[in-house]
Amino acid sequence: MVNLTLEDMGALYRETRTRIGEIVLAAAGEGAGPVPACPGWTIKDVVAHLTGVCEDILSGNIADAPSEPWTAAQVDRVRDVPLADLVARWGEAAAQVEPLTPMFPDRTANQWVADITSHEHDLRGALDVAGARDSAGVEVAVDFLALSFLAEAKARSLPALSIVTEQKTWSTKDAGPAARLSGSSFELMRALSGRRSIDQISALDWDGEAEAFSPAFEWGPFHPRDEALIE
């Protein structure tokens, strides 16, 4: 796994933002199409959320992040803005935030990159435009998500667990992990961020009882899907 600094996070966000802008402007029309990975949201709604995150960072409106009312307000306030104008508006706000990543607290910059990376693939799925599954953003996202998930599992007093990709291994601090979850960085990123159903999660490469860890997949803003998402 490539070691990235906080300064790198801004550049990585910009690269991902550029890809998303190109995809949606080329294929999304006015962005009214649904996004299966984000039930209830359209393509434009996802872009509105990404825009709103940057605008809220600049305005200091982050006390309620990442709650549903916070994200819903981001979508509502640009309801009448055309998609092309919204992409431009996002670019203007993001260009001001990207240089600020060295000042982000704790792992906030990693979370910011994980969010845009997850939504890049939400949009790619909605538009049937494959790609970027081996991006540096995916590695940042799975790192952030794996650490957060293991903290949730430990807080719930679940058995010890290791999460393993070809690039890295994350483990709870208990001696002798009782179970292991292995997979590609992309697939684990999607499973740990609410883009897979419990059946899909159980079908992953587990060494141990997958069911014991099902409660931990309800963490932060994430919930396992009711129906399978095939990507």
Side-chain angles (χ1 to χ4, degrees):
M1 182 174 179
V2 177
N3 291 321
L4 296 172
T5 67
L6 284 174
E7 288 82 356
D8 295 326
M9 294 297 174
L12 184 52
Y13 185 96
R14 182 171 62 253
E15 292 171 8
T16 310
R17 172 171 61 84
T18 299
R19 287 197 300 269
I20 292 174
E22 291 172 350
I23 291 168
V24 299
L25 291 178
E30 282 303 311
V35 179
C38 301
W41 272 8
T42 66
I43 292 163
K44 183 186 165 187
D45 291 340
V46 174
V47 178
H49 160 62
L50 293 168
T51 304
V53 170
C54 292
E55 292 181 341
D56 285 342
I57 290 172
L58 291 173
S59 68
N61 179 30
I62 56 175
D64 294 331
S67 67
E68 290 186 10
W70 186 69
T71 56
Q74 294 164 349
V75 173
D76 287 342
R77 69 179 177 238
V78 293
R79 187 72 65 187
D80 296 328
V81 178
L83 179 61
D85 293 344
L86 184 58
V87 171
R89 177 167 162 170
W90 179 27
E92 291 171 1
Q96 298 176 68
V97 179
E98 288 156 1
L100 303 179
T101 53
M103 294 180 281
F104 280 22
D106 300 324
R107 289 170 53 79
T108 305
N110 303 65
Q111 182 178 13
W112 188 50
V113 170
D115 184 59
I116 190 177
T117 303
S118 294
H119 287 309
E120 174 182 8
H121 292 284
D122 297 340
L123 292 166
R124 285 183 179 278
L127 294 167
D128 195 22
V129 181
R133 293 191 175 189
D134 59 352
S135 72
V138 169
E139 297 302 324
V140 170
V142 75
D143 181 66
F144 174 81
L145 292 164
L147 288 171
S148 301
F149 178 84
L150 289 176
E152 179 69 20
K154 189 170 184 178
R156 291 173 178 261
S157 299
L158 299 181
L161 175 68
S162 289
I163 298 175
V164 182
T165 69
E166 291 183 356
Q167 290 76 27
K168 191 170 180 178
T169 297
W170 302 263
S171 297
T172 48
K173 297 302 182 182
D174 308 83
R180 182 174 67 182
L181 170 60
S182 305
S184 68
S185 295
F186 175 79
E187 188 59 34
L188 291 180
M189 176 189 75
R190 302 303 273 168
L192 295 171
S193 61
R195 272 70 176 187
R196 296 292 183 263
S197 67
I198 285 293
D199 286 345
Q200 287 180 296
I201 291 167
S202 296
L204 295 173
D205 185 5
W206 288 90
D207 181 5
E209 293 295 328
E211 292 78 8
F213 297 94
S214 295
F217 284 88
E218 296 268 0
W219 70 276
F222 303 124
H223 314 278
R225 291 175 55 85
D226 294 331
E227 298 179 355
L229 178 68
I230 307 300
E231 297 180 299

